[in-house]
Amino acid sequence: MKYEYVIVGGGHAGAAAIEGIRAHDPSGSILLLARENHPPYQRPPLSRGLWFGKSTRDQLPIHDEAFYRERKVELGLRREAVEIDPEHRCVWDDRGVTYDYGKLLLATGARPRRLAVEGAESESVHYYRSLEDYLFFESYLPRFQHALVLGAGFIGMEMAAALRHAGKEVTLLYPDEYPLRRILPRELGLFVADYYRERGVETVSGEGVVRFEERGELIAHTTGGNEVTTQIVLAGIGVEPSTELAEAAGLEVGNGIEVDEYARTSDPYIYAAGDVAEFPYLALDRRMRIEHWDHAIQHGKAAGANMAGANQPYTTMPFFYSDLFDLGWEAVGDVDASFDTHAVWKEEHREGVILYLSEDVVRGALLWNVWDRVDWARQLIREGKPMTTAEREKVVAEAVPASPEP
């Protein structure tokens, strides 16, 4: 079977690529191969909105069935691509079916990093990435009272809050001094740890797990010589880009599949987008790989458009966000805790803006319980000029004015 466009991966990037293609080619044949049981769906609600009643399962699909039908897109669900032949421009799936392509997009995303400790193969140890994972935890809720969450990145923090909201006892164990260590300044990170304790989550910093032991319940032995007894473990210790197909096909792979500003790989007929791609972040003048929802959508759309001949560089500054119980935030640019930071608070640790600086130039912005200011933050970063402390204070005060006195 031959298709003008073959998309491997049924996440946000793959779904968005369809829109990009159809914006420039209304009729070229499109096949989307996805290993999952479901058409492309929204992933952020799996660890946020679904647990807090802010969204429902029927709102998960990115597009309805009519979208694919009207755009003449063939969906190949429960089909995993296992090999690419770049010379003959074809791809095989796990059932031995061959698909010839004109252009190929690899939107294979990332997979949870696995625990490499004794006992990690226990049936009580789980990871969290997909709709199937959500459905499992939702159905399993009546069967456990305590959960051990490993890792204080996005998934760990969001799922610790979700399970606590669902009425479960939760221990959150992480190796760093405070949660979201790569993003948050120290004082804010320590505040978040205290805030979680106030909400009933037991937070244990500076600890990892060295082995699990089954003794009726599951015993987690920690690096500090302690034990945590639990019924279920959710490990959120990061993800790894799914680059195996690309590597086997001889494509350039670094911290992800390497692409240029048009989302092209080292093979001119193969593109990559989303979590799996290492791309030139033009506004920051550096190469990056980003594992967030907005980037997957925008990069996927750009890749699809360029597959169809748009020849437009990807210049988007994607944003990302998270919800931590009642705390919410959005961020854009390079929010790296190793940078110098400058916090401008309307209410300390509750509402304000944190700027991330390199040689006094704003490289990133974290909008902490501040909304509708992403475009402002983008513009501030794009200007790329050194700013004094007073100038930073002034520009934030103008963008985020103090609330009027009651």
Side-chain angles (χ1 to χ4, degrees):
M1 292 180 281
K2 179 172 177 56
Y3 298 86
E4 188 61 35
Y5 309 98
V6 173
I7 300 168
V8 177
H12 285 284
I18 296 169
E19 300 177 46
I21 292 169
R22 283 292 177 250
H24 297 272
D25 182 350
S27 60
S29 55
I30 301 175
L31 168 68
L32 185 146
L33 293 174
R35 62 187 302 179
E36 296 200 57
N37 298 319
H38 314 276
Y41 56 84
Q42 305 281 350
R43 295 181 186 268
L46 300 181
S47 57
R48 303 169 192 165
L50 288 176
W51 292 97
F52 287 86
K54 297 178 181 179
S55 56
T56 58
R57 280 168 54 182
D58 61 356
Q59 296 173 320
L60 289 180
I62 295 174
H63 303 298
D64 58 20
E65 293 182 4
F67 172 89
Y68 302 102
R69 183 174 62 253
E70 292 167 359
R71 288 157 183 78
K72 298 180 174 57
V73 176
E74 183 178 336
L75 290 180
L77 302 180
R78 296 175 292 280
R79 298 290 183 97
E80 183 171 4
V82 295
E83 187 175 352
I84 302 168
D85 181 347
E87 181 179 356
H88 297 96
R89 281 197 266 167
C90 61
V91 58
W92 285 270
D93 71 13
D94 53 351
R95 303 184 191 183
V97 180
T98 304
Y99 310 93
D100 297 323
Y101 61 83
K103 300 283 179 63
L104 174 67
L105 174 65
L106 297 179
T108 47
R111 60 181 177 274
R113 186 173 287 116
R114 315 288 288 189
L115 289 163
V117 299
E118 180 184 344
E121 69 283 355
S122 168
E123 292 183 357
S124 297
V125 176
H126 299 268
Y127 302 87
Y128 202 90
R129 181 78 174 171
S130 69
L131 177 55
E132 303 301 334
D133 298 326
Y134 166 79
L135 294 173
F136 167 79
F137 273 90
E138 181 194 42
S139 66
Y140 202 72
L141 282 176
R143 300 175 61 183
F144 72 93
Q145 185 53 38
H146 180 275
L148 171 61
V149 177
L150 302 178
F154 289 98
I155 287 296
M157 295 300 290
E158 290 172 2
M159 285 306 299
L163 294 175
R164 182 64 190 145
H165 182 74
K168 303 304 173 184
E169 298 173 13
V170 178
T171 298
L172 175 65
L173 189 147
Y174 48 94
D176 295 311
E177 182 186 8
Y178 58 84
L180 297 168
R181 173 64 182 81
R182 291 188 298 172
I183 294 174
L184 300 184
R186 183 173 184 271
E187 286 189 3
L188 182 55
L190 293 174
F191 165 81
V192 169
D194 287 339
Y195 176 77
Y196 265 56
R197 293 186 191 104
E198 292 172 3
R199 300 302 294 259
V201 176
E202 180 188 20
T203 64
V204 182
S205 63
E207 295 254 29
V209 171
V210 293
R211 67 184 177 94
F212 295 101
E213 180 184 2
E214 300 270 8
R215 292 206 306 250
E217 294 182 296
L218 190 66
I219 311 299
H221 297 265
T222 76
T223 52
N226 299 306
E227 296 182 358
V228 180
T229 301
T230 190
Q231 289 94 46
I232 194 167
V233 172
L234 190 157
I237 56 173
V239 297
E240 300 171 331
S242 298
T243 59
E244 295 81 5
L245 271 177
E247 292 175 22
L251 303 180
E252 294 290 336
V253 175
N255 179 29
I257 304 172
E258 295 187 1
V259 300
D260 64 13
E261 64 268 36
Y262 303 97
R264 293 177 304 213
T265 71
S266 52
D267 183 307
Y269 299 101
I270 303 178
Y271 293 66
D275 293 6
V276 76
E278 182 185 3
F279 70 102
Y281 198 140
L282 298 180
L284 298 179
D285 192 28
R286 58 168 296 194
R287 294 188 65 83
M288 294 183 70
R289 188 176 64 81
I290 295 178
E291 299 164 357
H292 297 294
W293 160 86
D294 184 51
H295 168 66
I297 294 171
Q298 303 305 327
H299 201 213
K301 191 177 296 184
N306 287 325
M307 291 166 71
N311 199 37
Q312 297 172 349
Y314 178 63
T315 60
T316 299
M317 291 187 69
F319 80 99
F320 57 99
Y321 69 100
S322 185
D323 295 311
L324 312 174
F325 289 111
D326 295 331
L327 299 174
W329 51 275
E330 297 174 332
V332 65
D334 201 349
V335 286
D336 184 335
S338 67
F339 285 162
D340 293 331
T341 59
H342 181 183
V344 182
W345 294 111
K346 292 175 65 177
E347 180 182 354
E348 189 172 22
H349 299 152
R350 293 285 182 172
E351 184 179 2
V353 175
I354 299 166
L355 302 178
Y356 293 72
L357 308 157
S358 176
E359 298 181 346
D360 293 324
V361 175
V362 177
R363 298 283 289 176
L366 179 68
L367 309 170
W368 191 261
N369 276 340
V370 169
W371 310 106
D372 301 320
R373 290 296 181 269
V374 169
D375 286 340
W376 163 79
R378 286 181 173 129
Q379 182 57 35
L380 187 63
I381 296 165
R382 286 187 189 279
E383 288 174 1
K385 62 181 182 181
M387 302 174 70
T388 65
T389 298
E391 288 171 333
R392 295 193 294 265
E393 296 272 359
K394 182 174 183 292
V395 75
V396 172
E398 291 174 348
V400 188
S403 302
E405 293 293 332

